[in-house]
Each structure stands twice: as C-alpha cells, then as structure tokens.
Amino acid sequence: MKSFLAVYRKFLMGLTRVVGIIAGLLLFIPAFSVVYEVIMRGMFNSPTEWVVEISTYCVTIAGFLGMAVTFVANKHIKVDILLSHLSKRTNEILSVLTSFIGMVFCGVVTIYAIGMVAMSLEHGMIAPTTLRTPLWIPQSSLPIGFGLMFLHFIRTFLENLVKLGDPDYDPAAAAGEVAK
C-alpha cells in the first residue's frame, strides 16, 4: 500500500503542478487585457466589448484549477482553535474523517459538474454576450478543479489511514519529495 501511495502521490503532485502553471498563466490574460482596454479607451476612445468577459472567464477558471494547488500547499482556511487542544491521535482520526468528507463532497460536485458540462455540450448552450462563448469551455474548469481535489482527498484519506497504523510514516518522504 505504501509503495502505491508513493507512486500515486508523485503522479498527482506532478499533475497538480501542471494545472497550477496553467492557472497561473491564465491570470496574465486579464492583466494584459485590462491594460489593453485602458489604452484603447483612454488613447483611442475605442473601448472593447470582450475584455470583461474574457477576464471573468480567466479568473474563474484559474480559481477552480488552483483549488488543488492551494490544498497541496496547505493554504486553505482552517480553524484550528479546537484542534490545538486535542491529542495527536485525535487529530489524526479527525484528519481521516475530514478527508473522507472532503472526498465525498468533491466527488459529488465533480459528478454534477460533468453533467452540467455534458448538458451544455448537448444543447449547444452559449453565453448571451457579444462573444457568444460556448458555456462548456468555462464550465469545464469545475469538473477538472473538483476532480483534482477529489483525487487529492483520496490521497490524503489513504495517507491518513496508513499514518494511523504507522505513526512514523511520512508520505512526502516515501514519494521522494524534498522537504521545503
């Protein structure tokens, strides 16, 4: 089980790194688009119609794709006022429980998001805007983002289960990751 987890973790971290790079690059598009809009509006009195829509899509897509990156970096909001008063063993048990709940939640959202994207594709749904963007394009970030979170919650759940049985188990070290 530990060797499977090491390979799974390594694969998932690599995939998350690629998705994180894509999410980061997507944030450059709104930055440059807004500068272009300001120049066109201010200097040439010729505002664009597409900047707000494209910027909104890019930021939204980057947000959904970046969820797993934030999770891996352990930067999601946590309220640990109660956890700091519990024993290490109790915290480990709660980690198993919360990772299971997160896994179920992300799995359900992923399934419904896939259905939403499929329905948009099937019905040819488009945004009621000037660009008439096919809605499946921005919607695809939901099943990708939540699907990746689902895979990470599976990883976390399994690693936490192994840790319950072997308190010395270090998933990062087992996967050959260098400590930061």
Side-chain angles (χ1 to χ4, degrees):
M1 175 68 130
K2 290 179 185 177
S3 60
F4 165 75
L5 277 176
V7 171
Y8 183 63
R9 180 184 181 94
K10 201 170 204 167
F11 166 76
L12 206 50
M13 293 304 186
L15 179 61
T16 302
R17 196 170 300 111
V18 170
V19 170
I21 290 168
I22 292 168
L25 290 174
L26 277 172
L27 293 177
F28 281 106
I29 295 171
F32 290 118
S33 298
V34 169
V35 169
Y36 176 77
E37 169 71 12
V38 168
I39 292 170
M40 292 305 290
R41 184 181 299 249
M43 295 176 75
F44 302 106
N45 197 24
S46 179
T48 62
E49 295 182 11
W50 54 270
V51 167
V52 172
E53 184 175 357
I54 292 295
S55 296
T56 302
Y57 289 147
C58 288
V59 170
T60 303
I61 292 168
F64 284 117
L65 295 181
M67 288 187 317
V69 177
T70 306
F71 181 75
V72 167
N74 202 20
K75 299 295 182 186
H76 279 278
I77 297 171
K78 288 192 244 180
V79 181
D80 59 358
I81 191 165
L82 176 66
L83 298 177
S84 63
H85 297 293
L86 300 175
S87 70
K88 185 178 178 188
R89 179 79 174 163
T90 304
N91 274 317
E92 289 172 349
I93 292 169
L94 283 174
S95 291
V96 169
L97 180 63
T98 56
S99 57
F100 179 77
I101 292 168
M103 181 176 61
V104 170
F105 174 78
C106 287
V108 169
V109 172
T110 301
I111 290 167
Y112 277 95
I114 289 169
M116 177 183 65
V117 172
M119 184 176 73
S120 291
L121 270 168
E122 180 181 327
H123 295 294
M125 296 170 75
I126 56 171
T129 59
T130 305
L131 293 181
R132 301 183 49 81
T133 306
L135 288 178
W136 68 268
I137 296 171
Q139 289 174 347
S140 294
S141 64
L142 271 85
I144 294 169
F146 275 99
L148 194 53
M149 280 292 291
F150 173 69
L151 296 175
H152 274 289
F153 272 118
I154 290 172
R155 175 192 58 80
T156 305
F157 175 72
L158 293 174
E159 287 175 353
N160 287 337
L161 274 179
V162 170
K163 239 178 153 173
L164 275 177
D166 180 4
D168 295 329
Y169 175 67
D170 180 7
E177 294 174 16
V178 178
K180 291 181 181 178

